[in-house]
Amino acid sequence: MKNIFDVVILGGGIIGSSIAYHLSKMGRKVVIIEKEQLACQASSAAAGMLATQAEMEQDGPLLQLALKSQAMFHLLSSELLEYTGMDIEFVNKGMLKVAETEEIASDLKKQVTYQRNWDPAITWLDFKELHEMEVSLSPSIAGAMFLPNDGHVHSEKLSKAFTQAAVYFGAEIREHTEAISFIYENDQVNGVKTTKGVIHSNQIVIAAGAWSAQLMQESGFKINMYPIKGECFSVKPNKTLINTTIFSDKRCYLVPKQNGEIYIGATMIEHTFDQTVTPLGIASLIQRATQLIPELNEASWERVWSGIRPQTADGMPYIGEHPNWKGLYVAAGHFRNGILLSPITGKLVAELLTGTLLDQTLLSAFHLERHQETIV
Ligand code: FAD
Ligand code: GLY
């Protein structure tokens, strides 16, 4: 087996896969090293929301990155279909951020005014407008912020479409292979030791989601990252209950998928890699979701699942080169928005590695040294 590549990507989730796609398309010989199977962790657990407006309420570098990424989905979905035949189920019908109390309604109305600074299409829907649009919503909902530009995709299909498209352009995939440590000479990385031998390259990208901090530890540099478990469940009603994604707060959202399932998420359990789905977690989601859509109580039960979000101390991903070792890069810590941010992360990392990144400021807020300690 040939063990020399232009770039080795550690982690076959959506971030590693998008980087592999963009690099392979630029002609680089790339291999993805995945400990288990492609998209087996957070990238298949995600609800797939492209929730720039729903999740990012403040202007700043992360919002600007998300706006750029969201704008890529139209073209990306047709490109991936062309290269792989896979439909990523891109839906662009907007989201409703609903107000369950008058107090929340008053806050959301202020938010509409503020967020219209960067998305003038955002509007406030009063009780009548909202309930005409989504007839199954509980009459207790006073109104909603309508975010017409937010949408969703099928996250596992997007992740796998990225990898298949990377393979189409010549990338190699090695599953059931775990990266253990790095080989370097002076200050230049030149290989990675894995459970199946050494792979040589002068460019290595750590894209191992919530497990990236452990790999970074091997390089003597600590990044401030921790896991946050999210549990979800899904149901299939026997008639269409909602057309738009309903987002109540960061602990309950309902996403109507193309196959008729409604994905309902998600809990936020900090500092655990344990992926157990608990009755407590699911009961809290059922309670919240049925308060929003009472008829969900009669829908047929489908499944439960969980995933581990990669969170960082300031809520922003790490995207950039290792401060001490040339050729070692990190792209991880996308927390609640890795699906949304995957296209732009892949594109910018590919440009960084190939020396074609024209606007360096796009990544300056995400560098690795912003809150670290060198391990001695
Ligand atoms: P992962 O998908 O976790 O992939 C990392 C990969 O690295 C894994 O496959 C792992 O096996 C592999 N790996 C780890 N260590 C090693 C090693 N040493 N060697 C080789 N491989 C290794 N985001 C959105 O944008 N919209 C949403 O609606 C949304 N909903 C979510 C709902 C839930 C319940 C959860 C948990 C997350 C959600 N997210 C959402 C967040 C999103 O899923 C993540 O930000 C994103 O999937 C992170 O992708 P990743 O590739 O960095 O990590
Ligand atoms: N973005 C939704 C979640 O992380 O649960």
Side-chain angles (χ1 to χ4, degrees):
M1 206 185 312
K2 190 186 80 122
N3 272 330
I4 304 173
F5 291 87
D6 294 337
V7 184
V8 182
I9 295 167
L10 309 179
I14 201 155
I15 298 298
S17 300
S18 174
I19 297 167
Y21 166 61
H22 285 91
L23 277 169
S24 307
K25 211 175 156 194
M26 292 168 97
R28 290 297 194 273
K29 285 300 289 175
V30 173
V31 62
I32 297 181
I33 302 301
E34 166 53 49
K35 181 168 70 172
E36 296 170 53
Q37 286 171 288
L38 293 173
C40 65
Q41 294 289 349
S43 301
S44 53
M49 290 182 291
L50 308 177
T52 306
Q53 306 301 341
E55 295 242 357
M56 291 175 205
E57 295 161 351
Q58 300 296 324
D59 196 1
L62 193 57
L63 172 76
Q64 293 307 321
L65 197 71
L67 287 170
K68 286 193 170 52
S69 208
Q70 186 127 12
M72 291 170 73
F73 275 90
H74 259 295
L75 184 59
L76 182 69
S77 62
S78 50
E79 271 179 10
L80 292 175
L81 185 65
E82 183 191 333
Y83 300 139
T84 68
M86 287 181 74
D87 177 5
I88 64 166
E89 301 184 12
F90 173 52
V91 174
N92 206 12
K93 291 189 186 161
M95 285 196 203
L96 289 165
K97 202 166 187 178
V98 295
E100 292 175 86
T101 63
E102 286 302 333
E103 198 187 338
I104 298 173
S106 149
D107 287 347
L108 287 180
K109 282 181 198 168
K110 287 184 201 137
Q111 200 61 35
V112 169
T113 311
Y114 179 57
Q115 286 187 222
R116 279 173 64 93
N117 284 321
W118 55 87
D119 186 353
I122 294 174
T123 52
W124 175 255
L125 301 182
D126 64 20
F127 182 90
K128 185 166 173 290
E129 291 165 320
L130 174 64
H131 290 273
E132 277 172 8
M133 186 168 164
E134 289 294 357
V135 294
S136 300
L137 265 180
S138 161
S140 66
I141 311 293
M145 206 173 163
F146 180 43
L147 311 163
N149 291 318
D150 283 1
H152 58 91
V153 292
H154 191 292
S155 52
E156 185 178 352
K157 287 185 183 171
L158 173 57
S159 193
K160 290 187 172 166
F162 273 136
T163 10
Q164 274 198 29
V167 169
Y168 173 86
F169 285 106
E172 249 187 65
I173 311 294
R174 297 197 190 163
E175 293 178 303
H176 306 291
T177 305
E178 182 175 357
I180 308 290
S181 61
F182 303 98
I183 303 170
Y184 62 98
E185 215 175 289
N186 301 322
D187 61 351
Q188 169 68 55
V189 75
N190 54 29
V192 55
K193 288 184 187 162
T194 78
T195 46
K196 297 198 178 153
V198 172
I199 301 173
H200 297 280
S201 178
N202 288 331
Q203 290 190 316
I204 297 174
V205 186
I206 300 176
W211 296 269
S212 299
Q214 293 161 14
L215 277 171
M216 276 302 282
Q217 192 96 357
E218 289 296 321
S219 75
F221 191 87
K222 190 175 171 192
I223 50 173
N224 203 332
M225 187 182 281
Y226 59 97
I228 301 192
K229 174 169 83 170
E231 296 152 291
C232 298
F233 74 98
S234 72
V235 295
K236 207 170 209 176
N238 58 14
K239 63 170 191 179
T240 302
L241 287 182
I242 49 171
N243 294 296
T244 325
T245 297
I246 310 292
F247 194 99
S248 117
D249 58 29
K250 289 198 168 154
R251 279 158 209 248
C252 189
Y253 48 77
L254 296 88
V255 190
K257 299 310 250 190
Q258 276 193 357
N259 69 351
E261 261 180 278
I262 301 179
Y263 288 8
I264 297 157
T267 57
M268 295 271 283
I269 320 264
E270 297 197 357
H271 300 289
T272 180
F273 283 99
D274 172 15
Q275 298 192 32
T276 311
V277 178
T278 64
L280 184 67
I282 298 303
S284 71
L285 291 174
I286 293 174
Q287 195 211 358
R288 286 164 193 267
T290 54
Q291 270 171 9
L292 297 170
I293 312 277
E295 281 176 86
L296 280 177
N297 278 312
E298 278 88 56
S300 104
W301 184 265
E302 288 291 309
R303 61 195 176 101
V304 296
W305 68 94
S306 74
I308 305 295
R309 304 178 185 89
Q311 172 60 315
T312 62
D314 60 5
M316 299 211 295
Y318 289 104
I319 310 173
E321 194 169 11
H322 193 289
N324 304 329
W325 288 2
K326 288 199 190 75
L328 183 61
Y329 298 82
V330 178
H334 294 72
F335 186 37
R336 294 178 60 97
N337 293 296
I339 309 306
L340 166 65
L341 295 168
S342 60
I344 193 74
T345 303
K347 179 174 183 286
L348 293 179
V349 171
E351 289 173 356
L352 184 67
L353 267 67
T354 51
T356 56
L357 180 62
L358 295 178
D359 184 359
Q360 304 283 336
T361 62
L362 287 172
L363 288 179
S364 55
F366 308 108
H367 68 88
L368 275 61
E369 287 170 283
R370 56 189 201 267
H371 34 53
Q372 59 77 43
E373 307 152 25
T374 301
I375 303 159
V376 274

